Amino acid sequence: MIDWLLLLSNAAQEIISPTTAAYALAALGLAIHFGFTGLLNFGQAGFMALGAYGFAIATLTFGLPVWGAILFGIAASIVFALILGVPTLRLRADYLAIVTIAAAEILRLLLTTNQFEPVTGSANGLQGYKGGFAALNPIPDGQYGFGPWVYNAYDWWVRLFGWTLVVLAALITWRLMKSPWGRVIKGIREDEDAVRALGKNVYFYKMQSLVIGGVFGSLAGMIFILPRAVVPSNYQTSLTFFIYAILLLGGAATVLGPIVGSVIFWVLLSFFSGFVARAVEAGWLPFMSSVQAGQLRFILVGAAIMLIVIYRPQGIFGNKKELAFVK
Amino acid sequence: MSSSVGAQGAPIKSTGLHIGEPAPGVKKVDPIIVADGITRQFGGLMAVDVEHLEIPRGAITALIGPNGAGKTTLFNLLTGFDKPDSGTWTFDGESISGVPAFRVARKGQVRTFQLTKALGLLTVLDNMKLGAKGQSGESLSRAVFPWFWKKEEEAIEARAMELLARFKLDAKKDDYAASLSGGQRKLLEMARALMSEPTLVMLDEPMAGVNPALTQSLLDHILNLKIEGMTVLFVEHDMHMVRHIADWVVVMAEGKVVAEGDPHEVMANPAVIDAYLGSHHDQDLGDLDTAVVEAIKELADDDADDKQ
Ligand SMILES: Nc1ncnc2c1ncn2[C@@H]1O[C@H](COP(=O)(O)OP(=O)(O)OP(=O)(O)O)[C@@H](O)[C@H]1O
Ligand SMILES: [Mg+2]
């Protein structure tokens, strides 16, 4: 028999999990790029990798304290944004897409290669960088929580830290998009030549947008590695596509959309994977091995997202009115 | 409106703009734009080849010419949206060759586009507010702190509403610009350009696709710009409109300025007829594009009207 309560409780854990927070923050960065500015960044996985590796390498190799490691990761993503943006942001939108997808892959391969093994740990990645972060934990040792959400002090600290970053980033984004700066940004999405004709330095604004969204991606990468190790294979192009899925699910030009989208994505993923695994065990799916079942969850999540996109194409928080005018 | 209208209901024309005989490249008394040796080639096609051109300040200048004459390309070059192969030009006595488009706009030379560029998923009011220059809230460091720019924003909104009322778009202020009709978008684009308080307004076919009922009010708006002290340079195919409001007409054909003069003289100029009909107009008119024939007939009719 299937233990439905366990399935639901596992799914409920995803609501506040640090991974959900990391994806939400990365999707928020992508909302700034794609949803608000119209920049096709297909390298968000690269920004996350830079945050993750930046933090870990700064801690392990350079011996920086936590705040220094965070700044190092942020700085790495800013440099990455500039490298991507300087040559491409003057060109047509699709060039950025090509360059970002390629750059993120190059970055991942550089992190995987044996050449830099002492620093990057190559395919095995890095661990042992959490000491400084754990030492900052203000929560006394012990188990806390209720229902499905019972965790130890470190796990709560990671969640507190991750979701605080998400909330701060959301507040900043919300403020920015309600400001005259946000008006210019949205104008650029609609027609950058029109905005240029009104005396705005479009290139500079696009660069600012790329940097802010990239920094959000980098911080997301840091949250992502706090409950696990740094492994290069986590930063494949598929990561970027999952984040796009989350963004479209929630609504591309919204602030709450990426956050709620991430929660829904992870709750669904957890529920389906739990369900499929149990169903195979229980013999409900005799034609399937448990390895195949592991893949099935992505198919089911894909189907669920397709349904949402078909029946609510503006995303959960998107404005229905906008759809009437999509070119 | 009354001050722009002469005794017989026609707008008062500015005269005495040029020095010497009107001819291509003639000197102006007070030019706002002076261009020299501008060329722009697309592949083998010389789209723009302007030896010398001056645009008079404080007047309404029409840039006319057949399709593909290079009018839009010249606009793009003068406003920094395209780079010429050669040439220099000044705006208000200051060289702006090679200056990027957004800087040109900041200096007070603002343009609209032949294919209207309304920012569809911004509201009409937001479109307008975007036009205002030098907003401190547009800098990233201040944007998150509304108290830096709240006052300024209110002033901008008041000005935007005033302009919208003038262009009869105030009832639409909260609608997406994408929901406007083609003519209303033209109006919005022009009103938005005015938000930046320009000294030179360059309009690329402001009347194209505008309902005749709106045409008159659009004409009045353009005449008003002159009264408010702005200079207007516009591209237009509608000869009636050109004759009605232009103080000066520049005719382009195949990239070159082929004639200049006040609207009445210029349309009698054989070079203009040549430009519109091609140099073979003495051959068979039957081969020609009927639209061109229509245009020429219009000119002839207008002249007949004038003589009465
Ligand atoms: N980006 C481009 N690439 C290649 N050729 C171009 C380009 N832009 C313009 N041209 C060519 O340059 C010539 C001038 O075009 P332009 O758009 O300036 O004409 P125009 O006078 O504005 O015509 P219309 O009255 O039809 O708007 C045309 O022959 C056109 O085909
Ligand atoms: Mg044109």
Side-chain angles (χ1 to χ4, degrees):
Chain A
M1 233 357 263
I2 290 181
D3 183 351
W4 290 101
L5 202 64
L6 183 67
L7 272 187
L8 289 175
S9 119
N10 282 345
Q13 293 207 14
E14 296 295 336
I15 296 174
I16 58 163
S17 88
T19 309
T20 305
Y23 276 58
L25 189 52
L28 196 58
L30 209 52
I32 293 179
H33 290 155
F34 175 70
F36 290 108
T37 322
L39 297 176
L40 277 171
N41 168 23
F42 279 111
Q44 195 67 338
F47 284 103
M48 291 178 75
L50 280 171
Y53 275 93
F55 182 87
I57 291 173
T59 307
L60 297 172
T61 308
F62 305 138
L64 294 186
V66 172
W67 61 267
I70 292 176
L71 287 184
F72 185 81
I74 291 176
S77 64
I78 293 175
V79 171
F80 191 56
L82 295 178
I83 291 173
L84 295 179
V86 166
T88 56
L89 288 182
R90 285 183 207 279
L91 306 174
R92 245 177 30 214
D94 23 0
Y95 287 91
L96 182 70
I98 298 165
V99 168
T100 48
I101 203 169
E105 273 299 278
I106 291 170
L107 184 67
R108 183 178 68 81
L109 294 172
L110 284 177
L111 293 169
T112 315
T113 174
N114 288 330
Q115 208 65 40
F116 311 114
E117 150 94 57
V119 177
T120 61
S122 78
N124 295 323
L126 298 166
Q127 50 226 320
Y129 47 80
K130 293 175 201 164
F133 177 76
L136 291 177
N137 188 356
I139 305 167
D141 274 345
Q143 293 283 118
Y144 304 90
F146 61 93
W149 302 287
V150 178
Y151 305 107
N152 66 24
Y154 179 79
D155 287 347
W156 275 117
W157 174 223
V158 172
R159 281 160 179 76
L160 185 68
F161 175 77
W163 285 103
T164 304
L165 278 186
V166 172
V167 169
L168 283 179
L171 282 176
I172 290 173
T173 310
W174 176 70
R175 269 271 179 247
L176 279 177
M177 291 311 159
K178 279 177 72 84
S179 76
W181 186 87
R183 192 158 60 214
V184 178
I185 286 292
K186 287 180 261 180
I188 290 172
R189 174 191 69 199
E190 297 302 310
D191 191 322
E192 58 176 79
D193 275 343
V195 176
R196 215 169 257 138
L198 295 171
K200 322 290 177 195
N201 188 348
V202 167
Y203 178 68
F204 191 59
Y205 280 98
K206 289 208 276 192
M207 193 58 95
Q208 289 180 334
S209 163
L210 192 62
V211 167
I212 296 171
V215 167
F216 284 7
S218 159
L219 290 170
M222 296 179 206
I223 300 173
F224 186 69
I225 57 159
L226 289 176
R228 54 174 69 75
V230 176
V231 183
S233 59
N234 280 338
Y235 304 97
Q236 297 184 13
T237 309
S238 55
L239 174 59
T240 300
F241 289 127
F242 285 138
I243 293 167
Y244 261 102
I246 286 171
L247 182 65
L248 297 178
L249 189 64
T254 63
V255 174
L256 283 181
I259 300 168
V260 176
S262 177
V263 170
I264 294 177
F265 178 86
W266 279 105
V267 167
L268 284 181
L269 195 65
S270 158
F271 181 81
F272 283 136
S273 67
F275 171 75
V276 173
R278 303 295 182 307
V280 169
E281 268 172 39
W284 288 13
L285 303 168
F287 50 89
M288 254 190 181
S289 70
S290 52
V291 176
Q292 286 170 327
Q295 299 301 313
L296 185 64
R297 63 184 183 149
F298 288 109
I299 298 177
L300 289 176
V301 169
I305 290 173
M306 272 167 71
L307 286 178
I308 295 179
V309 172
I310 290 168
Y311 290 105
R312 207 177 158 79
Q314 73 274 34
I316 293 162
F317 284 91
N319 184 346
K320 183 99 200 170
K321 235 172 44 174
E322 287 185 4
L323 268 193
F325 307 114
V326 172
K327 292 148 262 181
Chain B
M1 212 46 254
S2 58
S3 54
S4 71
V5 177
Q8 294 90 32
I12 294 173
K13 295 296 185 84
S14 309
T15 49
L17 299 167
H18 59 289
I19 303 170
E21 277 303 297
V26 64
K27 286 230 171 320
K28 304 298 179 323
V29 178
D30 182 15
I32 190 163
I33 283 195
V34 180
D36 276 292
I38 300 191
T39 62
R40 177 69 166 107
Q41 229 169 339
F42 292 114
L45 177 88
M46 190 61 105
V48 167
D49 182 7
V50 170
E51 252 171 53
H52 186 81
L53 180 65
E54 299 186 3
I55 307 297
R57 188 193 308 273
I60 300 178
T61 303
L63 180 58
I64 65 169
N67 292 123
K71 307 179 294 292
T72 298
T73 309
L74 181 61
F75 257 47
N76 289 344
L77 294 172
L78 292 178
T79 51
F81 276 86
D82 192 7
K83 299 239 175 309
D85 300 318
S86 69
T88 56
W89 61 101
T90 63
F91 169 67
D92 245 347
E94 186 185 352
S95 170
I96 54 162
S97 12
V99 172
F102 77 92
R103 286 236 170 78
V104 172
R106 281 185 197 173
K107 287 178 195 294
Q109 180 185 330
V110 175
R111 71 170 297 183
T112 65
F113 294 87
Q114 183 167 3
L115 298 170
T116 323
K117 293 186 186 297
L119 303 167
L121 295 186
L122 262 56
T123 63
V124 167
L125 187 57
D126 273 347
N127 263 273
M128 292 295 287
K129 287 178 176 172
L130 192 60
K133 269 201 293 203
Q135 302 183 42
S136 55
E138 287 182 353
S139 95
L140 184 56
S141 50
R142 308 235 179 112
V144 277
F145 308 113
W147 52 90
F148 278 122
W149 45 264
K150 260 267 135 37
K151 273 251 153 57
E152 194 183 76
E153 181 82 354
E154 279 160 18
I156 289 170
E157 181 158 336
R159 203 149 56 78
M161 284 313 296
E162 220 173 279
L163 268 171
L164 281 178
R166 245 213 272 161
F167 282 75
K168 301 222 166 31
L169 287 171
D170 44 343
K172 300 256 177 203
K173 74 180 170 76
D174 296 320
D175 292 0
Y176 282 130
S179 74
L180 297 182
S181 75
Q184 288 170 329
R185 284 182 214 193
K186 284 262 171 204
L187 289 173
L188 174 61
E189 199 187 17
M190 194 164 143
R192 188 177 67 195
L194 297 184
M195 278 298 288
S196 68
E197 301 179 310
T199 44
L200 170 63
V201 186
M202 296 173 64
L203 308 168
D204 199 346
E205 303 203 12
M207 295 296 175
V210 175
N211 158 2
L214 266 178
T215 315
Q216 190 54 48
S217 79
L218 205 49
L219 285 179
D220 290 344
H221 289 313
I222 296 175
L223 286 166
N224 264 336
L225 301 184
K226 182 168 98 171
I227 294 163
E228 285 166 19
M230 287 173 236
T231 305
V232 179
L233 174 63
F234 73 102
V235 172
E236 188 50 63
H237 285 293
D238 180 340
M239 295 304 166
H240 291 298
M241 169 180 174
V242 170
R243 298 176 62 96
H244 187 61
I245 66 168
D247 302 310
W248 192 257
V249 177
V250 175
V251 187
M252 278 183 84
E254 292 169 1
K256 294 190 165 56
V257 175
V258 293
E260 273 191 62
D262 83 53
H264 292 266
E265 286 164 12
V266 93
M267 284 175 189
N269 188 329
V272 178
I273 315 262
D274 269 358
Y276 274 88
L277 297 184
S279 47
H280 309 295
H281 65 275
D282 44 9
Q283 293 171 9
D284 189 3
L285 270 183
D287 288 350
L288 287 164
D289 196 309
T290 48
V292 173
V293 177
E294 280 307 307
I296 296 299
K297 275 190 188 148
E298 266 176 29
L299 294 182
D301 288 350
D302 273 6
D303 274 334
D305 289 348
D306 287 344
K307 283 182 188 115
Q308 281 168 9

